Amino acid sequence: MDKWNLFQRFLITENAQISIVDFLINTAIILVLALVLEFTYTRCAKSLSGRKTFASNFFLVAFTTMLIISIVKSSLALSLGLVGALSIVRFRSAIKEPEELAYLFLTISIGLGLGANQRLVTIVGALILLAIVWARHLSTPKRSKQNLYLTVSGMGDGKPSLENVDELVKNTFKASKLVRYDETSENIETSFWVEIKNPDDLQQFKNKLETVGREIRVSFVDNNSF
């Protein structure tokens, strides 16, 4: 009976006090690592859009993870309650690139490690991984490039098809990603993120597009989020 009472107390009442000093130290470490990770992602990532917006969430994700682990790590009951609570949470934002998922896992790992007060291994592991990312980035041959927001629209009988526009974009630019597509019986509008190496690519694309449709409007806008 005594063992059963001890087990009940372990499930219900066990709850060690969290050291405020340790919590503040871990918060400072997370802030530094999140800033370094944010800088690394914005400079080294291959994503064509929204790098700064995505990277600005790293500190929030890491800190929230650390806070949760710090609270529940000393109580089995809270840990089980956390599982139930997370089962009703749905992450609605789609992860579009595998690279984004990798950085999110690293961010969560930093929060988990510091939440468990494993500071040394967390810092060393994060720095090793970031060093590898930078080494690969710096070893890649540099090339002049610019990222633009391309919009192609047409109307009437001379409007181009999505297949034709997409094929021309892929054949003209180094990298591209379709981000918007609207079509009615009267008009069509498509938008892409594109990467160019030479301004002549823009004129080349425009000349090619004129061969597939009439009354076509093309616009290129610099992406300020890079």
Side-chain angles (χ1 to χ4, degrees):
M1 189 65 180
D2 291 337
K3 292 182 179 180
W4 174 248
N5 290 335
L6 289 174
F7 181 68
Q8 286 183 314
R9 290 178 59 190
F10 173 75
L11 289 176
I12 300 174
T13 62
E14 183 185 7
N15 189 18
Q17 292 295 320
I18 301 174
S19 171
I20 297 299
V21 175
D22 288 341
F23 182 78
L24 293 177
I25 293 175
N26 291 337
T27 300
I29 296 173
I30 277 187
L31 177 60
V32 174
L33 291 179
L35 291 175
V36 174
L37 184 60
E38 180 178 346
F39 179 76
T40 300
Y41 181 78
T42 54
R43 292 303 180 93
C44 302
K46 296 181 176 63
S47 176
L48 290 178
S49 63
R51 295 180 194 169
K52 291 184 179 179
T53 301
F54 182 76
S56 64
N57 296 307
F58 289 161
F59 173 74
L60 180 61
V61 173
F63 179 81
T64 303
T65 304
M66 183 197 71
L67 180 61
I68 292 173
I69 297 302
S70 298
I71 294 174
V72 306
K73 67 181 180 180
S74 61
S75 173
L76 181 59
L78 289 176
S79 301
L80 295 175
L82 175 65
V83 174
L86 292 180
S87 67
I88 63 175
V89 175
R90 296 293 183 269
F91 188 66
R92 297 296 183 184
S93 298
I95 301 301
K96 302 175 183 177
E97 304 286 347
E99 186 179 41
E100 294 179 355
L101 187 60
Y103 276 91
L104 274 181
F105 270 125
L106 176 56
T107 304
I108 294 172
S109 298
I110 292 173
L112 287 171
L114 292 174
N117 272 334
Q118 302 296 324
R119 294 173 189 159
L120 183 59
V121 67
T122 301
I123 294 173
V124 172
L127 293 180
I128 289 175
L129 187 54
L130 290 173
I132 294 174
V133 172
W134 274 104
R136 294 181 63 182
H137 174 71
L138 295 176
S139 63
T140 303
K142 299 295 184 297
R143 64 179 187 271
S144 176
K145 64 179 182 179
Q146 185 178 9
N147 297 289
L148 300 177
Y149 185 73
L150 163 66
T151 301
V152 178
S153 59
M155 59 188 305
D157 296 334
K159 68 178 183 180
S161 66
L162 174 62
E163 291 77 13
N164 289 335
V165 175
D166 186 56
E167 183 179 358
L168 286 179
V169 168
K170 290 180 178 178
N171 292 335
T172 305
F173 302 105
K174 178 67 176 178
S176 64
K177 181 170 67 173
L178 178 65
V179 294
R180 181 182 175 185
Y181 166 60
D182 295 307
E183 183 174 6
T184 66
S185 59
E186 297 295 330
N187 57 66
I188 183 175
E189 182 171 340
T190 59
S191 299
F192 298 81
W193 293 118
V194 298
E195 177 183 307
I196 68 170
K197 298 177 61 177
N198 192 317
D200 292 338
D201 293 341
L202 305 182
Q203 185 61 46
Q204 181 184 356
F205 174 76
K206 186 175 182 298
N207 294 338
K208 289 181 179 179
L209 195 60
E210 290 176 351
T211 65
V212 299
R214 305 183 305 274
E215 301 296 330
I216 298 176
R217 181 176 179 273
V218 182
S219 67
F220 296 90
V221 181
D222 189 21
N223 180 19
N224 295 323
S225 65
F226 287 86

